[in-house]
Amino acid sequence: YQLESDQPDVAHLLYYGVWKCAQACTFPSSKENLVLPPTSPGYGIDDAVQRLDPALTGFPISDVFIAQDGREEQIFENVAIYSDQSGPGGISLRPLPYYLEIRPDNPSPAGQDDGKFIAVDGNQGFNVPYHIDEYVEFNNGYDFIGNPINNYDQISNDLFRQCFENLCLDFRPSDTEGTQISPMPLGRRYKQQYISEPSNDVGSNSFDEVTITVW
């Protein structure tokens, strides 16, 4: 970026690293080099969304729109946020694991595993490892993230995962401390499956080419 007072050959870097590290870092930055995810002005959920950790939500991948239930909604890389006066700051998260048919595990009684036991059905529930529990509590707690729906499982040599009602959290032990826990990008899958993009085509479903993007 450039400041109006800069010479033509002067350029500065935006602090994407500071944005990614979020509250885990204390690196000083000025307002000019901060990364501010774009939002749509004039909607009621914007102020509450701005108070969330951007490392939790990811970048917005939709504008604010009116969902089928009449609530304001905005989709981010990792979550979908909608207006809900009973939620913290007047917002809540859509239950993306349910929409995306992530199969829940059967809860069990409290065991001897390390972690915090969260009951979801009487005395049945799931153990949440302490480092995952700390992340949940740091991000508005279980009322916002939702109760666990899965056990904490090892997916690969360097990936552990546990899903909750509104998102899934990945833990990569080899990553730098402070960035080891991150949400799965369920918002992208949700947008692809459930949100129709506006189209200018009228009266025809024919096409000559198809482009498939894979990542």
Side-chain angles (χ1 to χ4, degrees):
Y1 68 93
Q2 281 188 319
L3 301 175
E4 289 184 351
S5 58
D6 286 337
Q7 296 298 317
D9 60 346
V10 174
H12 310 276
L13 295 176
L14 290 173
Y15 281 11
Y16 278 90
V18 175
W19 171 83
K20 180 63 176 177
C21 200
Q23 285 96 330
C25 297
T26 57
F27 191 84
S29 58
S30 63
K31 63 181 181 180
E32 290 88 1
N33 51 38
L34 288 177
V35 176
L36 299 177
T39 57
S40 300
Y43 289 88
I45 69 175
D46 278 351
D47 289 342
V49 170
Q50 288 289 343
R51 291 193 292 270
L52 297 178
D53 184 352
L56 172 75
T57 63
F59 275 112
I61 57 175
S62 82
D63 293 326
V64 179
F65 62 94
I66 304 300
Q68 291 184 349
D69 60 4
R71 298 175 184 265
E72 293 178 2
E73 181 172 338
Q74 188 170 21
I75 304 172
F76 293 75
E77 290 175 308
N78 305 329
V79 297
I81 300 171
Y82 70 97
S83 59
D84 179 11
Q85 292 306 311
S86 64
I91 58 173
S92 291
L93 300 179
R94 296 288 190 192
L96 299 193
Y98 171 77
Y99 290 151
L100 298 175
E101 299 181 348
I102 295 176
R103 182 176 299 175
D105 293 330
N106 292 322
S108 57
Q112 301 301 316
D113 296 337
D114 288 339
K116 181 177 181 180
F117 180 77
I118 304 295
V120 298
D121 184 12
N123 66 343
Q124 307 283 308
F126 299 95
N127 265 72
V128 179
Y130 290 122
H131 56 284
I132 300 293
D133 173 69
E134 183 178 353
Y135 182 93
V136 171
E137 294 294 354
F138 182 78
N139 288 282
N140 294 312
Y142 292 92
D143 288 341
F144 189 64
I145 303 298
N147 286 328
I149 62 171
N150 288 126
N151 296 306
Y152 181 72
D153 291 327
Q154 184 169 0
I155 307 302
S156 64
N157 289 337
D158 191 47
L159 176 60
F160 297 80
R161 177 174 295 153
Q162 188 164 27
C163 288
F164 298 78
E165 290 174 310
N166 300 326
L167 53 76
C168 294
L169 294 176
D170 287 347
F171 175 70
R172 294 178 172 83
S174 64
D175 282 7
T176 305
E177 185 176 355
T179 64
Q180 294 170 315
I181 302 175
S182 60
M184 287 181 65
L186 298 181
R188 293 189 178 278
R189 290 171 53 189
Y190 168 71
K191 183 182 179 184
Q192 289 174 342
Q193 291 186 216
Y194 287 94
I195 307 301
S196 299
E197 298 291 347
S199 173
N200 295 324
D201 297 334
V202 178
S204 175
N205 290 323
S206 63
F207 51 84
D208 298 320
E209 295 180 356
V210 174
T211 299
I212 300 177
T213 303
V214 180
W215 68 94

